[in-house]
């Protein structure tokens, strides 16, 4: 047991010797001691290994001698073998090896003969470790990933841990067996080491995946307990118009190469303006080619050529990816003409579709005018003629989208009876429709008048549905109930109420109408890689069927821009003024919504409004005041702790700012103080010139501490003088 | 197995580990990674070291006699050996202090063993309860180098002692044997005792002087002796209903109960044996067994088996044992007195009941 303990002590000492030799060699190579010692070439790794092996050899010899002879004699006898070895090495001029031998002998004698060997290793390791870290940090030593460097730091760390255990845990009253730390060292050496820092990107992506997964779970379970309310988000027509709360969950991701905004010249100011585009996405099953064909026929009937068509229509492309959306419908842009799946499981998260659609500017004055004009009585085009016409208008091959059979089928009259169904009790609706549409002399104007009338109603999401809780947008009676309550009772609501009302009023006016559900997305001003459509973009809007034109959408919801307000402004000039005139005339014709006598009781309390406004104003004032105070404080502290040179620079900059402010004009900073000198009042010019000269001295003089305290004070006083002048 | 974690040391360790992770996030190369690996591996290697220590720890315990008596001092010896090259550091020893007293081994017992080292612990031991149970070293504990955790494990080999109960007079007071026989006058057809008879014959040298009938001798003019008759002796059956619950039979409560139970039985047996009164014990020794104690010799035999001889080898034995009570007053046992001793009586039961 005694021998075993001694053996472990020798192993620890050998490791210590290894550390010393590695660091010693490194210091030797860094310090350039080769000439002094007379060893020109010293191969680091070999030298270290040799020194360690020599020391280990002496330990083994000592171990064997210990079986016969105990005590310090065994240490001395163990290095006897170094003598003949040394002579041999000297004879054959292996100077580096001889040096290693000498060092090993020296260390063996020192560590073996001193009684405080253990204390030396215990406390010395911290010093050695600090030297190693110092060399690593400041001289880039031991950076290469090789066995010696790994062994070095493994050895330093295990001996340090052993020392820490003895000193801090055992309070020098015992020590945990060094066998444990040797085992630890072995395991450390097995694990490979990288030259570069830890790469967290994989962890980050994993964390992202976990976050997505938890979002998925949260999303799919979020609808379980909704307490009778529901979040905004895409749904079919099974909505009842009850209270909603806004949700910003991502439902779709759009990708398009087209610009998200339009650029036009404002006719009033003549300035270039940027207008955000609006995209309507609707839920439907497949592509409705009939709509495309009707529209093309409409264009043909109105002698629309390519240039005229391009004012209010264009072919666009869009990719739609489903995120947190659960529906069996395909969400496509309005006017879709081509739809292809491009990945993911259908209708599930990740499902992607590439669409091509005919984007129409329904608010374009040209288009609106065409809608009002009576079409020329032309026969329906044949398939071939239509293909040719489409190619002329849009440079598009219609045969790739619509087959001849589909084309001929679309020419047949469509059954629109389901879009003309009215609720049972519709007298009020009928009377209202008659009143609203009296001035109109065509179906399109009727639609516009109804739309204008409804846009007078205020918008709120804190609304109620129909009188019957079962009423939904899926049936005419349901829509009628919702519309009736909205139009004559509550007089406030959101898209569901506005759409239900317009559909009912249109039907009362004899115009087939339907409700469409989907999303209304307002593009940002800047182009992005992808555009996220959130649940609060979910929307309902009405469409009216105009004979000879097809289905036209309208926007009666007052919270959103109408189609005229988001027109592309193409082909404007005097036409813009015409558009304004038409808009005005309709506004004066449409009656106001009737005032409810009970509205007085629901009037907003003026006192409350004043209170709110005062609070907001005070808050803003306090915020501004706080921001100013902080800025002043920071400037003051910065100035106080600045050197005289720095203070001068700050003061001169302040002088420049103050001069510009006093002059109340823009000045281009060419870096010349003479420009600013011209703005100074005559009385202060000499002083300012002096300060400017000091400034140049500080900046370009190359010396610090040239500014005196008096100069600094004078310059500071100048700032105040100029601000007062 | 129980693991105790020292929270503050754990926190320091976690902080050091976090620091090394932060260090390696900014710098690559041997130093940061070796430091990280060292700290990461510290606990796992400690656990491996602990397991190796535990697996190579041999513990042998013995007492100077095979069977000990409750309350008496005996010599105890434990040998603990580290059979591997990895030394064991600060091995904690935990004794069964609730059931036995070690005269020489007290306080914190912490030992360190070098490679292949053996230590011997000697002491006098006194067992507190009668019965068969483990004594001596119960558990050992091992720690990691930095004291972050301490694991307490059962000792690899435990020592089972068989402790015989003390012989006292506790049963005689409870049973009131004299009254049982005076009142009942019951008898058994198995055992007989001699009583003076009514037949007369002439005296033969060797006859007891007590058997001389002086009245008849005076009348006849010659010494006449009575011819003895055999009288049936009265007997008792003791039904020992030991506790049938096996799962907690080594708790202190169970040991105390068993101790009381055994002492009562042995006391009763001793009393009957000293009065030359036969008592039949029906008890579970795996299956239902019986033993008659009617002399000091038979008592010694019974005494030697009672300490560890009462147990059930299946749940049905307890039920069968209870059913034998139905035989009281019938068949072979006739109208014997039955004393039922229940080790763990329920609420409506008595510890000792006489039928």
């Amino acid at each position: 047991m005694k021998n075993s303990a001694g053996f472990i002590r020798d192993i620890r000492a050998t490791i210590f010797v290894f550390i010393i030799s590695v660091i010693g060699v490194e210091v030797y190579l860094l310090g350039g001691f080769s000439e002094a010692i007379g060893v020109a070439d010293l191969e680091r790794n070999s030298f270290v290994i040799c020194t360690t092996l020599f020391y280990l050899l002496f330990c083994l010899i000592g171990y064997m001698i210990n079986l016969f002879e105990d005590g310090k004699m065994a240490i001395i006898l163990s290095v006897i073998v170094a003598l003949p070895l040394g002579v041999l090495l000297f004879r054959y001029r292996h100077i580096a090896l001889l040096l290693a031998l000498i060092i090993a002998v020296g260390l063996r004698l020192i560590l073996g003969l001193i009684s405080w060997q253990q204390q030396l290793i215990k406390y010395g390791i911290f010093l050695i470790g600090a030297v190693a870290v110092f060399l690593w940090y400041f001289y880039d030593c031991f950076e290469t990933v090789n066995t010696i460097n790994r062994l070095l730091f493994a050895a330093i760390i295990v001996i340090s841990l052993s020392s820490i255990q003895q000193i801090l845990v055992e309070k020098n009253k015992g020590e945990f067996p060094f066998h444990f730390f040797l085992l630890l060292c072995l395991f450390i050496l097995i694990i490979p080491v990288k030259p570069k820092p830890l790469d967290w990107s994989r962890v980050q992506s994993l964390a992202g995946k976990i976050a997505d997964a938890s979002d998925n779970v949260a999303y799919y379970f979020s609808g379980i307990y909704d307490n009778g309310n529901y979040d905004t988000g895409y749904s079919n027509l099974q909505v009842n118009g009850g209270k909603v709360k806004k949700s910003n969950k991502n439902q779709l991701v759009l990708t398009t190469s087209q610009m998200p905004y339009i650029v036009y010249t404002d006719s009033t100011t003549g300035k270039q303006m940027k207008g955000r585009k609006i995209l309507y996405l609707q839920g439907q099953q497949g592509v409705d080619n009939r709509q495309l064909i009707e529209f093309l026929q409409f264009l043909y009937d109105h002698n629309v050529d390519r240039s005229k068509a391009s004012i209010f229509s264009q072919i666009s492309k869009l990719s739609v990816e489903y995120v947190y959306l659960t529906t069996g419908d395909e969400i496509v842009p309005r006017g879709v003409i081509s739809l292809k799946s491009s990945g993911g499981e259908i209708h599930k998260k990740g499902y992607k579709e590439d669409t091509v659609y005919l984007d129409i500017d329904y608010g374009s004055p040209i288009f609106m005018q065409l809608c009002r004009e009576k079409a020329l009585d032309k026969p329906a085009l044949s398939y071939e003629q239509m293909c040719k016409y489409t190619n002329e208008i849009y440079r598009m091959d219609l045969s790739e989208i619509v087959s001849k059979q589909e084309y001929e089928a679309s020419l047949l009259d469509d059954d629109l009876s389901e879009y003309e169904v009215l609720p049972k009790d519709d007298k009020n609706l009928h009377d209202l429709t008659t009143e609203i549409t009296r001035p109109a002399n065509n179906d399109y104007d009727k639609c516009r008048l109804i739309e204008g009338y409804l846009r007078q109603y205020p918008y709120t999401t804190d609304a109620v549905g129909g009188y019957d809780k079962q009423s939904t947008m899926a049936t005419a009676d349901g829509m009628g109930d919702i519309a009736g309550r909205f139009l004559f009772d509550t007089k406030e609501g959101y898209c569901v109420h506005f759409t239900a009302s317009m559909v009912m009023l249109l039907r009362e006016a004899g115009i087939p109408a339907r409700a469409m559900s989907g999303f209304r997305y307002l593009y940002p001003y800047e182009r992005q890689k992808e555009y996220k459509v959130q649940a609060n973009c979910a929307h309902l809007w009405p469409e009216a069927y105009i004979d000879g034109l097809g289905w036209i959408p309208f926007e009666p919801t007052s919270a959103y821009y109408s189609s005229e307000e988001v027109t592309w402004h193409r082909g404007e000039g005097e036409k813009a003024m015409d558009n304004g005139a038409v808009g005005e005339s309709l506004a004066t014709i449409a009656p106001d919504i009737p005032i409810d006598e009970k509205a007085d009781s629901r009037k907003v309390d003026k006192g409350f409004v004043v209170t709110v406004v005062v609070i907001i104003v005070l808050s803003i004032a306090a915020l501004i005041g706080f921001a100013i105070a902080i800025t002043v404080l920071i400037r003051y502290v910065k100035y106080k702790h600045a050197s005289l040179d720095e203070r001068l620079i700050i003061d001169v900059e302040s002088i420049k700012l103050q001069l510009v402010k006093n002059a109340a004009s823009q000045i281009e900073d060419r870096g010349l103080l003479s420009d600013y000198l011209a703005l100074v009042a005559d009385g202060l010019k000499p002083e300012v010139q002096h300060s400017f000269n000091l400034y140049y001295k500080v900046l370009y003089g190359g010396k610090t501490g040239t500014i005196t305290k008096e100069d600094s004070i004078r310059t500071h006083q100048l700032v105040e003088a100029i601000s007062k002048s | 197995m129980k693991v105790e974690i020292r929270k503050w040391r754990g926190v320091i360790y976690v902080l050091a580990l976090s620091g090394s992770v932060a260090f390696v996030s900014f710098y690559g190369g041997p130093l940061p990674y070796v430091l990280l690996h060292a700290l990461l591996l510290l606990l796992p290697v400690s656990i491996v070291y602990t397991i190796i220590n535990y697996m190579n720890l041999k513990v042998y315990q013995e007492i100077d006699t095979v069977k000990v008596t409750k309350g008496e001092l005996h010599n105890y010896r434990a040998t603990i050996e580290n059979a591997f090259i990895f030394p064991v550091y600060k091995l904690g020893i935990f004794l069964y202090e609730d059931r036995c007293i070690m005269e020489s081994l007290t306080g914190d017992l912490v030992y360190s063993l070098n490679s292949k080292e053996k230590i011997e612990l000697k002491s006098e031991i006194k067992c507190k309860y009668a019965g068969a149970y483990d004594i001596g070293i119960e558990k050992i504990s091992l720690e990691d180098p930095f004291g972050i955790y301490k694991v307490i494990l059962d000792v690899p080999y435990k020592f089972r002692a068989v402790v015989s109960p003390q012989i006292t007079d506790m049963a005689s007071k409870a049973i009131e044997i004299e009254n049982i026989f005076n009142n009942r006058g019951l008898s058994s057809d198995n055992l007989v005792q001699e009583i003076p008879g009514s037949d007369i014959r002439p005296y033969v040298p060797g006859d007891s002087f007590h058997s001389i009938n002086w009245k008849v001798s005076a009348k006849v003019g010659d010494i006449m002796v009575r011819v003895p008759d055999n009288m049936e002796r009265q007997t008792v059956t003791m039904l020992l209903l030991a506790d049938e619950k096996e799962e907690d039979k080594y708790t202190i409560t169970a040991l105390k109960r068993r101790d009381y139970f055994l002492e009562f039985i042995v006391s009763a047996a001793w009393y009957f044996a000293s009065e030359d009164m036969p008592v039949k014990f029906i008890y579970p020794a795996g299956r239902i067994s019986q033993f008659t104690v009617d002399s000091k010799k038979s008592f010694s035999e019974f005494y030697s088996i009672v300490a560890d001889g009462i147990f059930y080898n299946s749940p049905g034995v307890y039920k069968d044992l209870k059913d034998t009570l139905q035989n009281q007053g019938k068949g072979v046992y006739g109208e014997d007195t039955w004393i039922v001793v229940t080790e763990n009586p329920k609420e409506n039961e008595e510890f000792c009941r006489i039928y």
Side-chain angles (χ1 to χ4, degrees), chain A residues 404-693:
Chain A
K404 189 171 180 177
Q405 289 89 337
E406 285 170 340
Y407 179 78
E408 280 162 8
S410 70
L411 292 177
L412 301 170
D413 285 340
D414 197 11
D415 179 18
L416 300 170
S417 55
E418 70 170 295
Y419 305 114
E420 293 165 333
V421 176
L422 287 161
K424 292 187 185 75
D425 179 17
D426 62 341
K427 187 181 180 307
N428 289 336
L429 287 169
H430 186 79
D431 293 342
L432 182 61
T433 307
T434 310
E435 196 189 336
I436 295 167
T437 59
R438 193 173 291 127
N441 49 24
N442 58 65
D443 282 350
Y444 184 76
D445 278 339
K446 284 183 187 174
C447 297
R448 284 283 169 207
L449 283 167
I450 293 170
E451 184 191 50
Y453 175 80
L454 289 172
R455 286 185 70 83
Q456 298 173 101
Y457 283 78
Y459 179 91
T460 178
T461 53
D462 188 10
V464 292
Y467 292 109
D468 183 357
K469 284 193 186 346
Q470 308 298 320
S471 295
T472 67
M473 295 289 286
T475 62
D477 284 332
M479 265 201 275
D481 185 21
I482 293 169
R485 195 173 183 190
F486 167 70
L487 288 168
F488 305 112
D489 186 357
T490 60
K491 297 197 174 109
E492 59 181 12
Y494 52 93
C495 58
V496 169
H497 308 85
F498 288 94
T499 302
S501 303
M502 184 149 181
V503 168
M504 287 293 107
L505 292 172
L506 284 169
R507 289 184 186 180
E508 289 291 348
I511 300 169
R514 65 186 182 188
M516 295 299 286
S517 69
F519 295 89
R520 181 189 173 280
Y521 178 68
L522 183 64
Y523 280 103
Y525 278 114
E526 299 305 322
R527 198 169 173 177
Q528 291 172 3
K529 214 170 149 189
E530 50 186 36
Y531 305 95
K532 292 195 170 83
V533 180
Q534 295 177 340
N536 52 22
C537 292
H539 189 47
L540 236 69
W541 65 92
E543 287 189 349
Y545 186 85
I546 310 288
D547 201 24
L549 175 55
W551 290 100
I552 302 292
F554 293 92
E555 188 53 79
T557 309
S558 55
Y560 302 121
Y561 293 119
S562 64
S563 53
E564 291 142 290
E565 287 165 314
V566 294
T567 180
W568 301 346
H569 296 276
R570 287 183 189 171
E572 282 184 339
E574 55 270 13
K575 301 257 194 263
M577 298 300 292
D578 291 342
N579 181 44
V582 165
E584 260 181 43
S585 65
L586 282 174
T588 53
I589 291 165
D592 294 328
I593 54 172
I595 296 165
D596 192 348
E597 280 164 8
K598 287 187 229 167
D600 289 338
S601 63
R602 286 183 281 122
K603 245 191 226 173
V604 179
D605 184 13
K606 276 189 186 165
F608 172 72
V609 171
V610 168
T611 311
V612 168
V613 167
V614 164
I615 289 169
I616 290 170
V617 166
L618 283 174
S619 305
I620 292 170
L623 207 61
I624 292 170
F626 181 72
I628 291 170
I630 289 288
T631 310
V632 167
L633 184 68
I634 289 170
R635 276 197 200 145
Y636 172 75
V637 169
K638 208 171 156 186
Y639 191 84
K640 208 172 158 58
H641 288 94
S643 63
L644 292 174
D645 290 352
E646 288 166 354
R647 283 187 191 181
L648 185 92
I649 292 170
I650 293 169
D651 286 332
V652 166
E653 293 299 323
S654 302
I655 288 171
K656 282 161 68 176
L657 276 169
Q658 198 57 50
L659 287 170
V660 169
K661 203 170 150 190
N662 287 353
S665 63
Q666 285 288 339
I667 178 167
E668 192 190 327
D669 192 356
R670 300 185 297 159
L672 300 172
L673 290 175
S674 53
D675 291 341
Y676 292 93
L677 196 60
L679 301 172
V680 179
D682 290 340
L684 291 170
K685 262 191 183 139
E687 289 288 321
V688 172
Q689 177 72 66
H690 176 71
S691 295
F692 282 173
N693 291 341

Side-chain angles (χ1 to χ4, degrees), chain A residues 165 170 175 194 196 198 200, chain B residues 24-25 29 33 89-90 145:
Chain A
Q165 197 272 333
E170 299 297 335
E175 60 173 306
K194 290 180 190 172
K196 289 189 180 167
L198 214 55
W200 288 105
Chain B
V24 88
S25 302
Y33 275 98
Y89 186 68
K90 283 193 173 175

Side-chain angles (χ1 to χ4, degrees), chain A residues 160-200:
Chain A
S160 301
L161 284 174
S162 173
S163 300
I164 291 169
Q165 197 272 333
Q166 287 177 55
I167 298 166
L168 293 179
V169 180
E170 299 297 335
K171 310 270 192 284
N172 286 322
K173 289 178 189 165
E175 60 173 306
F176 202 86
F178 194 68
H179 301 71
F180 167 81
F181 297 99
L182 279 176
L183 191 65
L184 181 66
C185 188
L186 266 168
F187 278 110
I188 291 170
L189 292 171
I190 291 170
I191 303 174
V193 160
K194 290 180 190 172
K196 289 189 180 167
L198 214 55
D199 180 15
W200 288 105

Side-chain angles (χ1 to χ4, degrees), chain B residues 212-275:
Chain B
I212 295 172
N213 190 333
W214 296 107
K215 227 178 181 176
V216 172
S217 300
K219 258 191 189 171
V220 170
D222 201 355
I223 301 174
M224 301 299 277
V225 296
R226 291 189 209 95
V227 175
D229 285 336
N230 288 332
M231 191 178 86
E232 288 180 351
R233 208 183 282 185
Q234 293 150 347
T235 59
V236 173
T237 302
M238 279 188 82
L239 180 66
L240 308 180
L241 285 176
D243 192 3
E244 78 276 25
K245 282 185 202 158
E246 290 290 312
E247 55 272 13
D248 53 358
K249 67 179 181 182
Y250 296 119
T251 59
I252 280 300
T253 315
L255 287 179
K256 285 180 181 173
R257 227 174 12 234
R258 178 54 63 99
D259 173 60
Y260 185 83
F261 180 66
L262 289 175
E263 195 170 314
F264 186 92
I265 295 161
V266 161
S267 299
W270 172 252
Y271 183 83
F272 290 131
S274 56
E275 294 292 322

Side-chain angles (χ1 to χ4, degrees), chain A residues 124-168:
Chain A
I125 192 61
F126 296 117
L127 178 65
I128 300 282
V131 169
V133 173
F134 176 83
L135 291 172
W136 170 79
Y137 188 73
F138 290 101
Y139 293 94
D140 299 330
C141 299
F142 317 124
E143 274 200 340
T144 321
V145 177
N146 58 33
T147 310
I148 294 291
N149 289 341
R150 286 172 60 200
L151 262 171
L152 168 71
F153 286 113
I156 291 175
I157 285 164
V158 297
I159 294 187
S160 301
L161 284 174
S162 173
S163 300
I164 291 169
Q165 197 272 333
Q166 287 177 55
I167 298 166
L168 293 179

Side-chain angles (χ1 to χ4, degrees), chain B residues 15-53:
Chain B
L15 284 173
L17 188 61
S18 308
S20 70
V21 169
F23 184 34
V24 88
S25 302
F26 292 99
Y27 297 98
L31 172 59
Y33 275 98
V34 167
L35 180 62
L36 174 68
H37 295 154
L39 288 172
L40 268 177
L41 289 170
L42 191 65
L43 276 183
V45 173
S46 301
I47 292 167
V48 166
Y49 197 86
T50 303
I51 292 169
I52 291 173
N53 277 161

